[in-house]
Amino acid sequence: MSTTIFGTHDGRDVRAARIRSGAIEAEVIERGAAIRDMQVEVAGRPRRVVLGLKTLEDYRRYSPHMGAIAGRVANRTRNARVPVDGREWQLDANQDARHQLHGGANGFGIQNWTIIHADATSIVLALHDPAGSNGYPGAVDTICRYEITGDHTLRIAITATCDAATPINLATHSYFNLSGDPDIRDHHLTIDGRFYTPLDGELITKGEIIAVAGTSYDMTAGRRIRDAGTTFNLNYLLDFPGPDGLARAGRLESPGRDLALEVWTSEPGVQVYDADLTRVPVQGLHDWTYGAFCGLCMEPQRTPNAPNIRHFGDAILRPGQVYRQTTEYRFFP
């Protein structure tokens, strides 16, 4: 297993590993199990397709979830409280000192995972999150496997088990940019969601489910991001998975239409975020600073705030069960 040292966190070396096959090369770091870099060969030349930062300190200070696995519960949880089997749990409130975002101040995307296997085409990482972490009941053990399959696909397979009932909702959080330009609004975007869950003024799902037809959020036919006339930071509900257990969440195409990405997932929804609030004052791997609209996130996940909204479905993992999530990034150069 070949790894390099990317930095030090909590007194421990943070390692990185690279994989390559066909047209894809990627680097994953232990902090947050994050994809730090991914390149796809286009017309014989590598092209960087995700945003990444140069140092571990940059991740700490400016973008803790870039490329990471967000959890134990991704997205925003109202009042940082969740009911589990008749008992309400107070969680770490790291969003406006009231709500929780991405599992708390020491969520999965910030913790040190451990690379337990790395070969030419795959990386496997593990994380033990103890009972009481960020206020959650029960200990959770999570395995995340990154694997390049075929020539143009990166597959992310995540499993988790617990020793006591606990909410869980993980999300992959890469920022995609298929052209290398500082603004992604000329990318062409299709979202395969005919319904969305509207937000309140604090960006938390209210419990409603609304059709996208006739709204600025209707991206089912595909169009340039800027032509939607709105910003994106919301969850779309997807159709049921196909025979292979995956449904297409969306398709992103570069302005020149020379590279496309499709996101396929086992999850019932996808959070789409156009980075309108992003402000990273240091240069990233692209050698320019990451400002508003620098990348697009398509984050497969269960419906945000689901533990507090019964009709959004069960988001509780119990002992003896296995949480499973599969997401594929399929590239078309």
Side-chain angles (χ1 to χ4, degrees), residues 41-86:
E41 191 172 293
V42 181
R45 301 184 62 180
R47 180 181 300 179
R48 181 164 286 119
V49 295
V50 298
L51 307 188
L53 299 176
K54 294 183 178 182
T55 70
L56 189 60
E57 183 61 23
D58 289 344
Y59 279 94
R60 289 194 194 100
R61 296 181 64 184
Y62 303 120
S63 191
H65 296 100
M66 183 174 286
I69 303 298
R72 178 179 308 191
V73 173
N75 222 301
R76 291 167 173 82
T77 301
R78 184 179 302 283
N79 295 325
R81 297 182 73 86
V82 292
V84 180
D85 295 340

Side-chain angles (χ1 to χ4, degrees), residues 191-251:
I191 297 295
D192 296 306
R194 295 178 292 116
F195 297 89
Y196 74 99
T197 54
L199 308 176
D200 63 15
E202 297 179 286
L203 300 179
I204 300 175
T205 50
K206 299 188 291 186
E208 301 172 276
I209 297 174
I210 295 179
V212 300
T215 75
S216 299
Y217 300 127
D218 188 352
M219 305 298 284
T220 54
R223 54 180 165 173
R224 287 194 313 167
I225 294 172
R226 70 170 68 252
D227 291 339
T230 188
T231 57
F232 292 88
N233 192 358
L234 76 161
N235 177 70
Y236 288 83
L237 302 180
L238 303 175
D239 290 335
F240 292 107
D244 62 355
L246 304 181
R248 195 179 82 161
R251 179 181 173 93

Side-chain angles (χ1 to χ4, degrees), residues 73-125:
V73 173
N75 222 301
R76 291 167 173 82
T77 301
R78 184 179 302 283
N79 295 325
R81 297 182 73 86
V82 292
V84 180
D85 295 340
R87 176 180 172 182
E88 194 167 67
W89 293 79
Q90 179 64 56
L91 309 177
D92 173 50
N94 65 322
Q95 179 75 23
D96 300 326
R98 180 181 172 193
H99 309 296
Q100 187 180 87
L101 174 66
H102 292 329
N106 192 38
F108 284 17
I110 295 171
Q111 292 187 46
N112 278 340
W113 295 55
T114 299
I115 295 174
I116 59 174
H117 172 81
D119 59 32
T121 61
S122 66
I123 303 169
V124 183
L125 303 99

Side-chain angles (χ1 to χ4, degrees), residues 149-163:
T149 64
D151 290 336
H152 301 101
T153 298
L154 179 70
R155 175 181 294 161
I156 308 168
I158 307 172
T159 60
T161 57
C162 64
D163 64 2

